[in-house]
Amino acid sequence: MILKGKKTILRPIEAEDLEFVRSLINDPEIEKTIVGWSLPISRKDEEQWYASYSNSVQNIRYIITTLDGERVGLTGLGNIDMKNGSAKTLGIRIDKNVQSKGLATDTYMTLFNFAFNELRLHRIETSAFDDNFASLKFQEKLGCKREGIKREAAFKNGEYKNIVTLGCLKEDFVPLYEEYINDFNK
């Protein structure tokens, strides 16, 4: 299903997106802010991944585009557990040329709305480094609550870093989503 937000469209990854996806994954400025890590991806690696990948009941990946079709990012949900009504975000990578334009907020508003209201999930888990204040503020704006700290859980940029885990329940999100939609329509 293609998801349409107020500023973005989330659609499946297509073959013509591979070079864009590879550029996001290989960008060192984006990578240094992402929890976890990525190996450098060659064109061959990306093509092999794409040949074997398909969205599933457990994992959904999206290309983020503007309403006029410009590719701007990548996101998704993983570890989708329909029995327990939970999932984890697969993070969000936004092209640094279009950051701070509300596209990430619209993307997660759209993705969370889909997760809570179409997939009928109850909880979404996210995470961020404890010193990535912008990411933490962004996630809290969506209704995510800090649930704990994994001390020195990731080695990034030459040091061990703490990871903050956050959780968002449907009841936390829905009022914020309604406010977001109403403010946008004014």
Side-chain angles (χ1 to χ4, degrees):
M1 174 188 298
I2 294 173
L3 310 178
K4 186 174 181 189
K6 296 298 179 183
K7 296 181 178 185
T8 59
I9 295 172
L10 310 182
R11 63 167 177 75
I13 298 171
E14 300 291 349
E16 60 268 14
D17 300 318
L18 293 182
E19 185 58 34
F20 174 74
V21 170
R22 193 166 73 88
S23 72
L24 288 176
I25 291 170
N26 287 339
D27 187 313
E29 292 301 309
I30 295 173
E31 174 59 27
K32 73 180 183 183
T33 66
I34 301 292
V35 171
W37 56 281
S38 297
L39 295 172
I41 302 291
S42 69
R43 182 173 284 116
K44 178 183 170 192
D45 294 336
E46 188 77 355
E47 289 169 356
Q48 287 175 339
W49 171 84
Y50 181 72
S52 66
Y53 179 78
S54 64
N55 282 330
S56 69
V57 178
Q58 290 85 29
N59 293 293
I60 305 169
R61 294 184 188 271
Y62 289 103
I63 286 291
I64 306 163
T65 72
T66 60
L67 296 179
D68 63 5
E70 177 190 359
R71 289 181 292 231
V72 295
L74 179 67
T75 195
L77 293 171
N79 298 333
I80 300 170
D81 179 342
M82 299 305 278
K83 179 187 179 299
N84 294 307
S86 64
K88 292 182 179 181
T89 65
L90 296 176
I92 187 166
R93 292 175 188 251
I94 297 282
D95 186 317
K96 54 187 178 268
N97 296 321
V98 295
Q99 290 178 356
S100 301
K101 296 187 180 202
L103 299 176
T105 297
D106 190 68
T107 294
Y108 265 15
M109 285 288 185
T110 304
L111 184 65
F112 282 31
N113 183 56
F114 170 72
F116 289 130
N117 292 310
E118 293 296 324
L119 298 180
R120 297 188 320 262
L121 298 182
H122 177 68
R123 181 179 191 283
I124 298 173
E125 184 176 309
T126 66
S127 61
F129 291 124
D130 68 349
D131 62 354
N132 189 340
F133 305 113
S135 181
L136 290 168
K137 181 179 176 183
F138 159 69
Q139 293 178 66
E140 289 170 338
K141 183 166 73 169
L142 298 165
C144 297
K145 310 279 189 233
R146 294 180 192 216
E147 296 181 335
I149 294 180
K150 296 178 183 178
R151 298 179 309 128
E152 297 184 4
F155 189 78
K156 187 73 99 167
N157 307 315
E159 64 180 319
Y160 286 98
K161 298 180 75 98
N162 297 333
I163 298 173
V164 177
T165 58
L166 302 99
C168 184
L169 301 179
K170 181 176 181 178
E171 65 194 44
D172 300 325
F173 174 77
V174 169
L176 299 172
Y177 181 75
E178 289 172 358
E179 182 179 322
Y180 175 74
I181 293 300
N182 289 337
D183 284 348
F184 195 85
N185 290 329
K186 287 182 183 176

